[in-house]
Amino acid sequence: MILEIKSLTAGYGSGPSILQNINLCLHENEIVTIIGPNGAGKSTILKSIFGLTDVRAGKIIHGSRDITHLKTDQIIRSGIAMVTQGKNIFPDLTVEENLEMGAFTRRDTSEIQKRKQEVFSFFPVLEKFKSKKTGILSGGERQMVAIGMSLMLAPEVLMLDEPSIGLAPKVMQEVFSKIQEIKNAGTAILMVEQNAAKALEISDRGYVLELGKNALEGSGKNLLKNPRVGELYLGKSK
């Protein structure tokens, strides 16, 4: 197991706990998707792992290490990366400059070049546009840049917060295909996604959150077949 959340309760500042006794795990070479209604606490799980909330109870374990109260920069260095929603690129910098910004903890120039080539192997269009300012790219291309920036650190775990938001269906399908390629290359993926059906199709397992608590979990295929999930999150009628 590469990542485990045990009985996590967390929130922001002096506010109420958004997450209550959450349990979740991620194995090597696996895609796990978290779904649920707006306000269920899905993104708060990712932010808690990334050191951006106040953890009030429970533990977050990465490999054999307790990272519950580490700072974000320490979590990044431990091998966890996150692509946030919106404002996740530098629009006035070129594609190549954005990727280099993603490698901010690396000092070895040859290693940075190697990582760039690996990112370009996932996203050939980015190599084609490497000298263009990122702000002029399409929404899908900007999302690829954001994911590429996170991959520059060769993370063991890549967390994605709503990677398909605002994308046209064809572009969304391409992004999901690339996520599968990244997983197949050895990076475990933990994803929050509003398009539950498409996300579960490519997921090994999934979790359903309701009001900050675990509601359901299972394989992606089984959750797709679950009548309750179908009715509430996939737009299927009874």
Side-chain angles (χ1 to χ4, degrees):
M1 192 180 303
I2 198 166
L3 186 68
E4 184 176 15
I5 293 175
K6 298 180 177 180
S7 304
L8 180 70
T9 296
Y12 301 94
S14 59
S17 294
I18 306 298
L19 303 177
Q20 300 173 50
N21 199 35
I22 290 292
N23 292 286
L24 179 152
C25 67
L26 175 70
H27 297 277
E28 291 86 351
N29 199 37
E30 187 177 49
I31 297 176
V32 169
T33 294
I34 306 167
I35 66 171
N38 290 337
K42 305 183 298 295
S43 295
T44 302
I45 291 180
L46 303 190
K47 291 175 182 176
S48 296
I49 295 167
F50 216 49
L52 300 175
T53 68
D54 295 296
V55 174
R56 294 158 187 173
K59 290 185 176 182
I60 303 168
I61 309 296
H62 175 211
S64 59
R65 185 183 186 193
D66 186 341
I67 64 167
T68 311
H69 298 292
L70 294 186
K71 294 180 180 179
T72 299
D73 66 309
Q74 295 173 306
I75 292 165
I76 291 170
R77 286 179 170 83
S78 80
I80 299 176
M82 179 174 170
V83 179
T84 61
Q85 287 186 51
K87 296 185 178 179
N88 50 17
I89 58 165
F90 299 95
D92 293 329
L93 299 181
T94 66
V95 168
E96 191 164 26
E97 287 168 341
N98 268 270
L99 295 181
E100 289 169 354
M101 290 291 287
F104 69 98
T105 67
R106 294 190 181 276
R107 296 292 178 264
D108 186 334
T109 303
S110 63
E111 183 63 23
I112 292 173
Q113 291 300 319
K114 178 184 175 183
R115 292 305 306 165
K116 271 196 286 189
Q117 290 307 312
E118 290 184 10
V119 170
F120 290 149
S121 72
F122 285 122
F123 305 112
V125 69
L126 297 187
E127 184 168 25
K128 179 181 176 184
F129 293 152
K130 66 181 182 180
S131 299
K132 292 185 179 293
K133 287 192 175 182
T134 312
I136 69 170
L137 302 182
S138 70
E141 290 159 353
R142 290 197 297 272
Q143 188 66 296
M144 291 175 191
V145 172
I147 294 172
M149 289 172 68
S150 291
L151 292 177
M152 287 294 293
L153 295 176
E156 293 180 331
V157 176
L158 176 61
M159 301 192 298
L160 303 171
D161 194 358
E162 305 280 13
S164 79
I165 195 165
L167 302 183
K170 183 178 179 181
V171 179
M172 176 184 66
Q173 191 61 48
E174 184 178 3
V175 168
F176 280 146
S177 177
K178 296 299 182 181
I179 291 170
Q180 284 181 289
E181 288 182 27
I182 292 166
K183 188 267 286 198
N184 291 337
T187 302
I189 309 285
L190 180 61
M191 175 167 59
V192 166
E193 178 52 48
Q194 40 117 24
N195 192 318
K198 290 295 184 183
L200 290 174
E201 282 178 9
I202 68 166
S203 296
D204 298 282
R205 293 185 301 108
Y207 290 84
V208 180
L209 239 62
E210 291 180 1
L211 298 175
K213 299 178 181 179
N214 288 96
L216 292 168
E217 64 180 274
S219 70
K221 290 180 180 178
N222 286 342
L223 288 177
L224 281 170
K225 296 174 185 175
N226 186 299
R228 183 179 173 196
V229 175
E231 181 188 352
L232 294 177
Y233 309 114
L234 307 181
K236 297 178 181 178
S237 59
K238 289 184 179 180

